[in-house]
Structures are given as structure tokens and as C-alpha cells.
Amino acid sequence: MTEAPMIRMVSVDKHFGELHVLRDINLEVTAGQVVVVLGPSGSGKSTLCRTINRLEPIDSGTIEIDGQRLPEEGKGLAGLRADVGMVFQSFNLFAHKTILENVTLGPIKVRRTPKAEAEKAGIGLLERVGIADQRDKYPAQLSGGQQQRAAIARALAMKPKVMLFDEPTSALDPEMVNEVLDVMTTLAKEGMTMLVVTHEMGFARRAANRVVFMSDGEIVEDAEPEAFFTAPRSDRAKDFLGKILTH
Amino acid sequence: MDALIAEFPRFVSGFLGTLRLCLFAAIGALVLGTLLAAFRVSPVPPLRWVGTSWVTVFRNSPLVVVLFLFAFGLPQVGVVFPTFGGNSFFWPGVAGLAAYTAAFVCEAVRSGINSVPAGQAEAARAVGLTFQQTLGSVVLPQALRTVVPPLGSVMIAMIKNSAIVGAFGVTGELFSVDGALTAAGYSALSSLGGVALAYLAITIPAGIGLGVLERKIEVKR
Ligand SMILES: Nc1ncnc2c1ncn2[C@@H]1O[C@H](COP(=O)(O)OP(=O)(O)OP(=O)(O)O)[C@@H](O)[C@H]1O
Ligand SMILES: [Mg+2]
């Protein structure tokens, strides 16, 4: 018997009113895999990402994390979300808390970790992402790259089984993109299961096991990065790659 | 102003009576109003319904009607309030004023909650915080800055509204001092003038305190 995949989506459909944003999505990500999700704007990448920890509920189909079906809204769902780290395009650090408090809030409130222990672990994580010296500042006092690294540390503090990234570098100035991608690459090498929505092809080539290409709410291709970038099969992917490569 | 000078102790006790009435009503209104605001943004539809109904009913009813309902209507359906220092209207008055003011507190708190970017609550939920934890640890603390000024106006309006509670039978608060003095032969103008000054002695410092509080919250972060 093989182990259950870390993320499993079966026949997932979702509408926003009339708009069919996710069409019959079937996706499995095994433990330790890194999957990059690509696709044109509005193709449903963010929505896909957000359904995995049920920030967006789905209309039909099933989603399982590590063999466990997503519970309904409530305590069970909060518990499951604690195991799924999420990093947002706009960082979303808690504006009224210091960087260290951002990282320790979850462990203290959700995991009931004693404060001193949570702080020790939090400082360790901030060291790992290279911003331990910023721990007592508020988010607004940090650069975008530092904020995003803090947000990654906040997610890691929960010791998640999976990490979801929704365009983690799109809101950053170009010179800060690499400091965040470096942290993510290291994380991938260490064996974290990751689903990453990004248009950073360097990262996809370097760190991803698979590339999933979405268009109009559908998964159109699911291939190894090299194969996808050098020889996309569908016209939609060819068209899309043509556009982003010329930019 | 001769009444104010000659009957100063009466004014002091009325002043304290109003403070006491308002203190109880303010605590009740703030707690209930915040709870109702939490109901209104909760993911549970019946709770949202309770919050919305409460606001709709109490914000659109005259306070006098609400007070009469609490003082005379509720006892008829078996809700009996204890007396307070021999006065049977005190607790119905406090409860009615609190229930009425809570509707306004709720709306002030709710607009504060809505002023916090949605990404904050989303990040909190993504970390695994429950709805209550998200509200208590992330959203409400950030809403506070926008909530304090409108909440201050609501509280000052409540202090003024407390006169209506006095008008219908809670003795020992400020507005009832006027009735007592007029009965004792003072001119309406002199006794009411004193009462008005005494209200200002509550509401103006309350306003100043509020300004200080606003600035204090502003410098944080
Ligand atoms: N809350 C919502 N209500 C209604 N429509 C929505 C909502 N969120 C997203 N949509 C729509 O759903 C579609 C898919 O959106 P989604 O954000 O998943 O796309 P995306 O692939 O992430 O795009 P981008 O690259 O621009 O981030 C879009 O047409 C978008 O306008
Ligand atoms: Mg998106």
C-alpha cells in the first residue's frame, strides 16, 4: 500500500456566481514534492491555492490533506489549517505585532506552546530566514523582502506538513526577489512539500519537481519543469510561455 | 444659579447617581455591543441574524419606548429586575439604556472591524486561529484605532440619554434633581441651569479623556 498523497484534489469544481473558476481539478502532490503552478491572470491559480486550506469553500469534489478530508468550518478546520502553511502575495503580517510576535502568535494560541519556548523557536526561524535582528520591529518598518521572509517564518513556526505560496515575490522590488526565492529553494531542498504559484521560471527549474499549467480554471498540463518549458504540448501553454518569455 | 449653590449636596449626589447609572449602562452596552458586532461578522447565520435584528430593532425605536418596555413590559412576561437601594426602576433603566446603546456600539465596532484589511483575518485563519481568536487577537486590536472616536460619541450620547431614565422614575440621578428642586420652590431656570452644568461636568471631561485616549492609541506602532 502506498502512502496517501500530502495534497489530493479530486473532481473539484468551484464557481464565483456565474464564473466557473475551477473546473474538474484533479491534483495529487506527494510528500516532499514541489509543484509550481503557472497560468495566465484569472486562470484560477490563487483560487486553487486557497481552496486547499479552505479559505475558499468548494462547490463539489473532495480535498484531502495527508489523507484527511477538509473539515467544515469550525475547530477541526482551524486544526487542519495549522498544518498547512500559507504565504500571501501581500505578506499579510499582523500589523499591530512585532516580527517576533507575528511568528509566535500561532504556536502560542493554537499549539499552546509556552511563550518562552515559542520565542526561542521563533528566533531560530528568523535566523534561518536571515532577519533575526529585525525581531522587535513592526512589519511596516521592514522592506518587502524582509516582510515576506518573516511571513515564511510565521508559517514555518506551525511546523506545517505543506506550504502554499501564492505569488510570494510578485509584490517585491526586483532586487528583493532572490532573497525570498533563496529561502524557498532551501526549504524545497530540505524536503518540504510545497505548492507554489509563481512565474519565476528560474525557481521552477531549480526547485520544482512538477509544473502545473492552468488556463480558464482547468489544469491543462502537468509535467516536469524541463519538459514543460522546452516542449509544452498544448497551444495555450505555448502561447502563455511565448508571452512571459518575451518580457 | 442660586439653586446650585444652596442645594449643592443634592447636585453632588445627583451627579454621582448619574455617573453610577452611566457606568453600569456603559459596561453593559460595550460588552453587549462588541458581542453583537462579533455575531454580525460571524460565519454562523443564526448569530448574524440575532445581531442584525437587535441593531434594527433598537436603533429604530425611541429610547423612551425601550425604557418603558424594560420597566413595565418585561415584568409582565415574568422578567423581574431586583431593586437597587429601594428603587425598582434602576436596573430596568440600566438594562434598557444598555440594550439601546449596544445597537450603536455594535455598529461602531463593526465598521471598525471592516476597516481592518481582509488579509489580516485571512492570515490569522491560515495560521490556524479560530474565529474567536482571529477576532480577539488580530482584528479587534487593530479595529480599536478606528473605533475609539465613534465609540466616544456613542458614550457621550448615552450619558445625555440617561436623563430620560431619570425622567421616568430613577431617583437619585441628575435629571431627577430638577424635579425635586422645582417642587421645593426653586425656579425652573435656576434648577435646570444647575442640572445642565452638572451634565457638562460629566460630558466635557469625558470628551477630553477621549481625546487623550485617541492620541495614546495613535502613537502606538
Ligand atoms: N472573491 C471573488 N469573487 C468573485 N470572483 C472572484 C473572486 N476571487 C476571484 N474571482 C475571479 O475568479 C477568477 C480566478 O481568479 P484567481 O484569483 O484565482 O486567478 P489567478 O490565476 O490567481 O490570477 P492572477 O494571476 O491575476 O492572480 C478571476 O476571473 C477572478 O476575477
Ligand atoms: Mg492570483
Side-chain angles (χ1 to χ4, degrees):
Chain A
M1 204 186 106
T2 53
E3 265 184 65
M6 197 52 93
I7 305 174
R8 188 169 132 96
M9 303 178 78
V10 184
S11 314
V12 170
D13 273 272
K14 164 141 191 99
H15 294 77
F16 280 122
E18 294 284 284
L19 187 69
H20 201 163
V21 266
L22 295 180
R23 297 167 190 261
D24 191 27
I25 298 289
N26 291 284
L27 180 69
E28 288 194 1
V29 181
T30 46
Q33 255 194 351
V34 177
V35 174
V36 160
V37 180
L38 279 175
S41 179
S43 56
K45 307 178 297 293
S46 295
T47 309
L48 174 87
C49 213
R50 294 160 55 84
T51 56
I52 295 172
N53 64 358
R54 211 173 184 279
L55 283 180
E56 293 289 356
I58 55 176
D59 300 339
S60 61
T62 53
I63 300 178
E64 289 171 8
I65 301 292
D66 200 12
Q68 197 197 341
R69 251 182 102 145
L70 287 191
E72 292 294 300
E73 201 69 42
K75 267 247 148 55
L77 182 60
L80 187 127
R81 281 181 181 143
D83 289 337
V84 180
M86 184 152 193
V87 176
F88 301 86
Q89 182 173 349
S90 49
F91 329 134
N92 293 348
L93 288 172
F94 305 132
H96 63 308
K97 295 204 176 285
T98 65
I99 297 304
L100 184 58
E101 287 167 349
N102 263 273
V103 176
T104 57
L105 182 71
I108 291 171
K109 292 270 169 191
V110 180
R111 303 266 191 240
R112 305 269 166 222
T113 311
K115 188 162 178 242
E117 198 180 305
E119 284 182 344
K120 193 154 161 272
I123 292 169
L125 282 168
L126 290 176
E127 269 161 10
R128 237 171 97 186
V129 300
I131 51 166
D133 51 339
Q134 310 289 324
R135 73 181 81 143
D136 294 324
K137 291 191 181 164
Y138 286 91
Q141 298 169 295
L142 266 59
S143 74
Q146 291 172 325
Q147 288 190 52
Q148 195 60 298
R149 286 185 279 156
I152 294 173
R154 173 177 68 180
L156 290 175
M158 301 303 292
K159 303 196 174 74
K161 296 175 177 170
V162 194
M163 288 279 283
L164 308 171
F165 295 81
D166 188 6
E167 304 208 32
T169 58
S170 304
L172 297 178
D173 291 336
E175 73 271 21
M176 294 172 188
V177 168
N178 280 327
E179 64 191 52
V180 171
L181 290 180
D182 287 347
V183 169
M184 291 168 58
T185 307
T186 310
L187 208 53
K189 293 229 169 74
E190 289 168 359
M192 176 61 77
T193 312
M194 293 162 63
L195 185 112
V196 186
V197 178
T198 184
H199 291 160
E200 294 292 337
M201 312 251 247
F203 174 80
R205 287 199 140 106
R206 205 170 348 130
N209 305 99
R210 279 158 65 197
V211 168
V212 166
F213 174 72
M214 286 185 76
S215 180
D216 303 315
E218 282 177 306
I219 293 182
V220 180
E221 289 197 37
D222 186 340
E224 294 196 348
E226 238 11 85
F228 177 78
F229 289 121
T230 50
R233 279 175 284 117
S234 64
D235 288 341
R236 283 190 278 186
K238 280 179 197 154
D239 186 46
F240 172 76
L241 284 175
K243 276 182 195 145
I244 60 167
L245 289 177
T246 52
H247 278 140
Chain B
M1 293 306 107
D2 51 338
L4 183 58
I5 295 154
E7 302 284 345
F8 195 70
R10 280 212 215 207
F11 279 100
V12 170
S13 89
F15 176 86
L16 293 175
T18 286
L19 273 188
R20 188 173 51 210
L21 178 73
C22 288
L23 190 71
F24 285 124
I27 292 170
L30 288 172
V31 171
L32 183 60
T34 307
L35 195 67
L36 288 168
F39 281 10
R40 290 203 70 173
V41 297
S42 111
V44 185
L47 291 184
R48 281 207 299 273
W49 185 86
V50 169
T52 311
S53 312
W54 191 289
V55 170
T56 309
V57 169
F58 285 98
R59 218 167 46 149
N60 295 303
S61 305
L63 176 57
V64 182
V65 175
V66 172
L67 290 173
F68 272 77
L69 194 79
F70 273 75
F72 306 110
L74 289 185
Q76 282 188 357
V77 294
V79 182
V80 182
F81 291 92
T83 58
F84 180 88
N87 191 314
S88 59
F89 286 125
F90 182 82
W91 288 119
V94 166
L97 189 59
Y100 175 85
T101 309
F104 296 87
V105 170
C106 169
E107 288 309 88
V109 172
R110 193 173 68 109
S111 75
I113 289 173
N114 290 337
S115 75
V116 178
Q120 294 287 311
E122 241 168 37
R125 285 191 290 149
V127 166
L129 267 59
T130 61
F131 173 77
Q132 289 92 318
Q133 289 173 328
T134 298
L135 210 56
S137 302
V138 175
V139 178
L140 284 179
Q142 292 189 60
L144 197 65
R145 286 180 346 138
T146 31
V147 159
V148 166
L151 221 47
S153 315
V154 169
M155 286 298 121
I156 287 173
M158 189 199 74
I159 294 169
K160 295 187 286 178
N161 282 339
S162 74
I164 299 178
V165 182
F168 91 108
V170 174
T171 48
E173 64 77 67
L174 255 179
F175 193 71
S176 64
V177 170
D178 172 63
L181 291 184
T182 320
Y186 287 97
S187 80
L189 197 61
S190 84
S191 76
L192 274 177
V195 167
L197 279 179
Y199 273 110
L200 291 180
I202 299 178
T203 50
I204 290 177
I208 292 170
L210 203 68
V212 173
L213 187 62
E214 273 170 42
R215 254 166 285 132
K216 214 169 178 162
I217 297 170
E218 208 58 58
V219 291
K220 201 184 151 213
R221 117 178 139 121

